[in-house]
Amino acid sequence: MLYAAFLTIIDQELNAKVRPAHLEYVNDLYKQGKVLMAGPFTDKQGGLVIYKAESQEEARKLAEADPVIVEGARTLELREWSPLELPLN
């Protein structure tokens, strides 16, 4: 299953400090097959991580272990995501 983690920045200074650890964390999970894709929003207010997990609990555990969440630089909104199989026709 796929889960979308919306990571909204609440402390820009702290986020800048923790961002290298965040990027390393996301990259490591990508290499393990636990992250499908990730990236910042163009408004510079946060980003999105798409997790591949067996359950919501696993996805939440992964998302809550992200350094930007652990350190309190960003908030987390986690939602199960069901992408469309495109094209539809």
Side-chain angles (χ1 to χ4, degrees):
M1 292 184 268
L2 298 177
Y3 298 87
F6 297 86
L7 305 172
T8 302
I9 298 170
I10 55 174
D11 185 326
Q12 289 284 354
E13 187 175 313
L14 181 58
N15 183 71
K17 179 181 171 186
V18 180
R19 190 169 183 267
H22 160 71
L23 294 175
E24 182 178 342
Y25 179 74
V26 170
N27 191 54
D28 287 346
L29 289 178
Y30 177 81
K31 290 176 183 177
Q32 296 172 37
K34 293 294 183 181
V35 166
L36 181 65
M37 59 179 36
F41 295 120
T42 59
D43 65 5
K44 302 186 187 302
Q45 298 302 305
L48 176 72
V49 178
I50 305 294
Y51 290 98
K52 291 168 42 177
E54 295 298 318
S55 66
Q56 176 110 14
E57 294 77 23
E58 179 189 7
R60 181 160 300 283
K61 183 177 176 181
L62 292 170
E64 288 178 347
D66 188 320
V68 294
I69 299 302
V70 171
E71 296 296 326
R74 301 185 191 195
T75 61
L76 168 66
E77 178 186 352
L78 185 68
R79 300 175 68 181
E80 188 172 353
W81 184 51
S82 179
L84 293 174
E85 294 291 330
L86 297 173
L88 297 176
N89 298 334

